[in-house]
Amino acid sequence: MALIKYNDRSLRNLTTAPAAVTGNSPGVLVHIKTLTASSSATLAFVDGTDSVVLDNTYPIYKFELINVHPATDGQKITFQGNAAGGSGFNETITSTAFDAEHSEGDANSFSYNTSGDQAQGTAYQPLSQNNVGNDNDQCAVGNLFLFNPSSTTFVKHFIYTGSSLNSGDYLSHDFVAGYFNTTSAIDEISFKFESGNIDSGQIKLYGIKDS
């Protein structure tokens, strides 16, 4: 098996039109779409909408959450998927979650988060492991990787690492991993806060080439 090197320096090759990207080396990040929130209930990458596709073009898809700010104080940012032809964003998920916290008052903790995991659940999966605050300077950021979503043989693994500032002025370093327990292809992904709108922020979708 060949070793594939994923190099974020390839960001210099990104354009808003995937077909215009000339970098063909393994590891190149190809920009597919950017969604920008403005008091939005959800930000959803929907199959066939404005050329959004999660298919076998790329073995790995990366979602970048940038300054995602809740309208309602104290909410976790979450995500879910749809299998091809499905609806409702309620696929079965098994996941694990932990975080490290440090407050502006110098309190700290490190723990597994039982409220952030699922065991064959169909709810939206929490990504931020604490309640994101809605002060003007509070938000969540992070990277979510989805592996081989077009496979009809294997479950679909995901890994998230992020940072969020919660309503109690704690910085949380968030770690989440899991899988969609389906052998059907996953072709749609939706993000939302547990309650209230996404007041502002962006989510960018990239494909990562392997050849």
Side-chain angles (χ1 to χ4, degrees):
M1 179 183 292
L3 178 65
I4 299 171
K5 181 178 180 181
Y6 295 106
N7 185 354
D8 277 3
R9 286 178 295 179
S10 61
L11 283 166
R12 63 178 176 268
N13 295 322
L14 299 181
T15 73
T16 55
V21 176
T22 58
N24 290 314
S25 301
V28 168
L29 288 167
V30 180
H31 180 255
I32 298 171
K33 189 175 180 65
T34 297
L35 298 180
T36 300
S38 179
S39 297
S40 307
T42 63
L43 291 180
F45 295 87
V46 178
D47 182 40
T49 301
D50 298 330
S51 302
V52 173
V53 234
L54 297 174
D55 60 14
N56 62 1
T57 303
Y58 305 102
I60 303 173
Y61 287 86
K62 177 185 180 183
F63 300 85
E64 290 185 347
L65 283 67
I66 303 170
N67 295 343
V68 180
H69 177 73
T72 304
D73 194 35
Q75 303 298 323
K76 295 178 182 178
I77 186 68
T78 67
F79 91 108
Q80 247 289 8
N82 273 335
S87 62
F89 292 103
N90 55 3
E91 299 301 319
T92 300
I93 290 175
T94 291
S95 60
T96 182
F98 67 95
D99 69 320
E101 300 176 32
H102 194 203
S103 77
E104 293 178 2
D106 203 25
N108 60 78
S109 67
F110 179 82
S111 62
Y112 183 86
N113 192 352
T114 57
S115 67
D117 67 12
Q118 297 195 69
Q120 297 297 88
T122 57
Y124 270 67
Q125 170 62 43
L127 296 175
S128 57
Q129 292 304 298
N130 272 286
N131 298 322
V132 184
N134 75 339
D135 289 356
N136 290 337
D137 62 349
Q138 294 177 323
C139 64
V141 300
N143 293 315
L144 172 67
F145 291 89
L146 178 62
F147 296 86
N148 203 13
S150 65
S151 173
T152 55
T153 301
F154 299 109
V155 300
K156 316 304 180 296
H157 287 271
F158 57 83
I159 297 173
Y160 175 82
T161 303
S163 175
S164 56
L165 181 54
N166 76 14
S167 53
D169 296 328
Y170 275 79
L171 184 282
S172 177
H173 191 181
D174 305 308
F175 302 86
V176 180
Y179 58 89
F180 293 102
N181 194 8
T182 178
T183 56
S184 298
I186 295 288
D187 65 354
E188 297 179 342
I189 295 292
S190 172
F191 297 85
K192 69 177 184 178
F193 279 104
E194 288 180 314
S195 180
N197 289 340
I198 305 173
D199 182 60
S200 61
Q202 290 186 324
I203 301 179
K204 294 178 178 287
L205 171 62
Y206 299 94
I208 302 180
K209 297 178 69 68
D210 67 344
S211 61

